[in-house]
Amino acid sequence: MKDLANYLMAEVPRLIHDQSDVDAWSAISTELAEGKGLEAVLLNNTPTDRLEAAIRDLTARLVGDAEKKIVKELMQRKRVLRFSEYLERFNLRNDGLTVITPNYDRLIEYACEFNKVRVDTLFIGNCFAHFNPIQSKYMFCKGTTRRNNKQALVYSPRVTLYKPHGSLSWHMIDGEPYSIPDSDYEDSLIITPGLNKYHKGYSSPFDVHRSKANDAIDAAERYIIIGYGFNDDHLETHLVRQLRRGKPALIISRSLYEKPRELVKQNKNIMALCRGNNDGTELLTSAEQCFFDEINLWDLREMLKEVF
């Protein structure tokens, strides 16, 4: 968020000219310059429609340019995504694995397909995919088998991916959402921080992804929570409710903010790994707090090496 805030402060003034937009941005940039977080600032200051569009397009450009660099490194075999290594530890069954992310980039999609695991984002097609959450799962059917004297569908290994805040490849055309991987970032269907996030989260395709993500949270038996700051009411209401009901969870994060820290302390079913002193690891549960020097269990890659 800090990098995005700095990028917006440098680029937004070049895109706005109307006085109402300038005044709205002046209030926002003043608070950002004081060191306040982007999410908090945009919750306190509602941007104009033109200013919000500028923030959206710049956010998409920043994330998209960073994504391009990573994809190039993947193609040149200079990088392996941590999520690729994570997926290798799973034996994906017929019902697959469910992943929920508030991120706009497509690194999870790349990681899955790098591991020959297909991804269901509720769109059908490749170059110009249309939104069809009812039929999308059948794209992964590879045959049938007999179970209990009945025919049953057999699916390819897959990850069902819910993105309630949108994706760089999503666009609205004539009122219908499409996923177009090779499209420009401008006008991407993404929800940026601020008050309007909650309003736009109830329009298509965000509403379907949010609803299905919440259903998946309620149905899950346990959770692995990676790098999530617990600052999104769209998902957090369901997640926190299930955690307080006793469902086991492992939180892995570089930084553990006050809200999830209190949640861990209040619920014995949750364990958290975060950055401790000297790049070591802090392990936190409701019963204890431990520190391990010179081992980075809060880094997913290092955690996988140690555990597996």
Side-chain angles (χ1 to χ4, degrees):
M1 280 293 187
K2 184 177 181 181
D3 291 342
L4 176 57
N6 291 335
Y7 182 72
L8 292 176
M9 290 179 69
E11 297 295 329
V12 165
R14 304 178 188 181
L15 301 181
I16 57 174
H17 306 287
D18 189 270
Q19 191 60 47
S20 61
D21 303 329
V22 173
D23 291 342
W25 177 248
S26 177
I28 293 171
S29 60
T30 297
E31 293 192 23
L32 291 176
E34 293 172 352
K36 296 180 181 179
L38 180 61
E39 178 93 22
V41 171
L42 291 177
L43 284 172
N44 291 331
N45 301 274
T46 304
T48 62
D49 290 342
R50 284 185 296 267
L51 178 56
E52 184 180 15
I55 292 173
R56 180 200 63 214
D57 290 347
L58 288 171
T59 300
R61 185 188 306 171
L62 178 66
V63 175
D65 288 347
E67 181 190 272
K68 277 185 177 179
K69 294 178 182 178
I70 294 175
V71 172
K72 185 175 181 179
E73 292 176 352
L74 291 173
M75 294 171 63
Q76 297 172 343
R77 293 298 192 267
K78 294 180 179 179
R79 178 192 288 261
V80 176
L81 294 174
R82 285 169 169 78
F83 197 75
S84 288
E85 298 176 324
Y86 178 75
L87 278 177
E88 291 174 358
R89 273 67 182 185
F90 286 89
N91 180 18
L92 298 182
R93 299 168 297 180
N94 199 43
D95 53 353
L97 178 71
T98 298
V99 177
I100 302 167
T101 178
N103 295 343
Y104 316 127
D105 62 58
R106 293 156 291 189
L107 296 184
I108 291 176
E109 290 95 311
Y110 296 137
C112 291
E113 296 197 350
F114 186 86
N115 285 44
K116 300 179 182 180
V117 175
R118 299 173 69 185
V119 188
D120 182 7
T121 59
L122 310 186
F123 287 82
I124 295 179
N126 294 309
C127 300
F128 217 80
H130 63 279
F131 188 56
N132 195 323
I134 296 176
Q135 296 183 19
S136 65
K137 67 177 181 179
Y138 297 113
M139 294 197 324
F140 306 95
C141 180
K142 65 178 184 179
T144 62
T145 188
R146 291 196 68 83
R147 293 175 185 163
N148 300 322
N149 295 320
K150 294 182 180 180
Q151 288 288 106
L153 299 178
V154 179
Y155 292 90
S156 300
R158 73 193 189 282
V159 165
T160 302
L161 179 61
Y162 298 128
K163 306 181 78 168
H165 291 172
S167 183
L168 293 179
S169 59
W170 296 2
H171 297 272
M172 190 70 73
I173 302 175
D174 293 333
E176 297 292 332
Y178 286 83
S179 179
I180 311 173
D182 295 327
S183 57
D184 292 334
Y185 304 137
E186 285 74 12
D187 297 323
S188 293
L189 291 178
I190 63 174
I191 300 177
T192 50
L195 288 172
N196 288 339
K197 175 173 71 173
Y198 302 100
H199 170 69
K200 295 194 173 180
Y202 287 90
S203 59
S204 181
F206 309 113
D207 58 343
V208 176
H209 273 255
R210 186 198 73 254
S211 177
K212 287 185 175 292
N214 285 331
D215 288 344
I217 289 172
D218 291 341
E221 296 179 357
R222 60 186 61 87
Y223 310 95
I224 298 179
I225 304 168
I226 304 171
Y228 177 60
F230 285 81
N231 56 4
D232 190 326
D233 289 343
H234 276 161
L235 302 173
E236 198 171 316
T237 299
H238 285 251
L239 178 58
V240 172
R241 182 189 302 135
Q242 297 301 326
L243 292 176
R244 293 195 185 281
R245 287 177 176 174
K247 290 186 178 181
L250 172 64
I251 299 174
I252 305 170
S253 183
R254 180 184 180 92
S255 300
L256 194 66
Y257 299 109
E258 189 60 29
K259 192 170 184 179
R261 188 173 288 271
E262 286 302 313
L263 193 62
V264 174
K265 292 179 179 179
Q266 295 168 5
N267 296 273
K268 62 181 181 180
N269 51 299
I270 309 173
M271 175 187 294
L273 298 171
C274 61
R275 186 179 183 183
N277 300 323
N278 301 319
D279 281 340
T281 298
E282 176 188 356
L283 184 151
L284 183 67
T285 68
S286 62
E288 61 180 344
Q289 180 185 35
C290 302
F291 292 91
F292 303 93
D293 294 333
E294 300 180 358
I295 182 171
N296 302 335
L297 293 174
W298 49 268
D299 183 307
L300 183 60
R301 176 169 289 139
E302 296 303 313
M303 189 273 288
L304 293 173
K305 288 179 181 179
E306 295 295 329
V307 173
F308 296 94

